[in-house]
Amino acid sequence: MGLRGRYFSQRDLNLVAQFNGELMGDIIENIIDIFKISPSETKTNIYGETAAETGKWYFPAIKISALVERSDMTAEYDDFGPSRNQTHIFKMREKMLRQLEFYPEIGDVIYWNDRYYEVDNVVQEQLLGGQSEKSHSIICNAHYTKITSLNVLERNN
């Protein structure tokens, strides 16, 4: 029989989802904007690279609540001047992303705290009770990116 279904029943999952929804939406209130890349507007070469003059283009952002972990800003100095670096971890509720029919991907851009961060990795392995069918959140690892390298498209509805 096993203990697989004994812990974190559907009732438990609903309770956790309700608490997390209220906590993230009403108490923490860290709202981030996520820009999805627009493949039809982004011009690439045969290697899939974008030219510096055309860059990548993004759809308008969706807003979602998230938990944010950030590291300290660092700076590197070279012949071209200072270069700032910072990494962030953005944790979002998977249930909310499903309701919005949105899934973050590598290359998407997150706007938070007046800065832009490009997603380096997306992790979907925060499992309740260690059970794969009870995935709980989506975690995006991202790095600080310069605003000058971004283009944002208006979405036609």
Side-chain angles (χ1 to χ4, degrees):
M1 180 165 127
L3 299 175
R4 185 170 176 88
R6 185 172 187 174
Y7 300 104
F8 291 105
S9 66
Q10 187 59 47
R11 184 175 171 203
D12 296 334
L13 291 175
N14 293 341
L15 182 66
V16 169
Q18 181 181 354
F19 285 156
N20 283 341
E22 290 177 15
L23 178 69
M24 290 180 71
D26 299 334
I27 297 171
I28 296 174
E29 296 181 337
N30 275 336
I31 304 298
I32 62 173
D33 297 334
I34 305 177
F35 295 88
K36 176 71 69 186
I37 196 162
S38 173
S40 62
E41 295 295 325
T42 301
K43 307 282 189 271
T44 59
N45 61 19
I46 61 171
Y47 302 108
E49 302 166 335
T50 58
E53 58 274 359
T54 59
K56 297 177 186 174
W57 288 84
Y58 298 88
F59 289 115
I62 66 156
K63 293 185 180 298
I64 190 167
S65 61
L67 296 176
V68 181
E69 290 180 27
R70 62 185 177 95
S71 63
D72 292 333
M73 182 77 71
T74 61
E76 294 177 14
Y77 299 91
D78 58 17
D79 295 339
F80 301 106
S83 178
R84 297 169 58 180
N85 298 313
Q86 188 176 32
T87 59
H88 274 53
I89 299 172
F90 298 94
K91 300 176 182 178
M92 296 156 274
R93 292 178 40 231
E94 186 173 355
K95 183 176 182 178
M96 179 61 68
L97 290 169
R98 259 194 247 119
Q99 288 173 349
L100 294 171
E101 296 179 359
F102 185 87
Y103 185 81
E105 298 175 299
I106 295 172
D108 290 350
V109 171
I110 297 174
Y111 176 75
W112 181 73
N113 198 24
D114 296 326
R115 293 193 180 110
Y116 290 91
Y117 300 88
E118 186 173 354
V119 176
D120 296 322
N121 194 18
V122 179
V123 180
Q124 187 181 359
E125 296 171 354
Q126 189 174 18
L127 310 174
L128 294 177
Q131 300 174 27
S132 60
E133 67 275 2
K134 296 179 181 172
S135 181
H136 179 64
S137 67
I138 303 290
I139 301 169
C140 293
N141 299 311
H143 69 275
Y144 174 72
T145 189
K146 297 176 184 175
I147 192 169
T148 55
S149 64
L150 302 176
N151 297 312
V152 180
L153 269 180
E154 288 295 325
R155 183 179 292 217
N156 296 329
N157 290 333

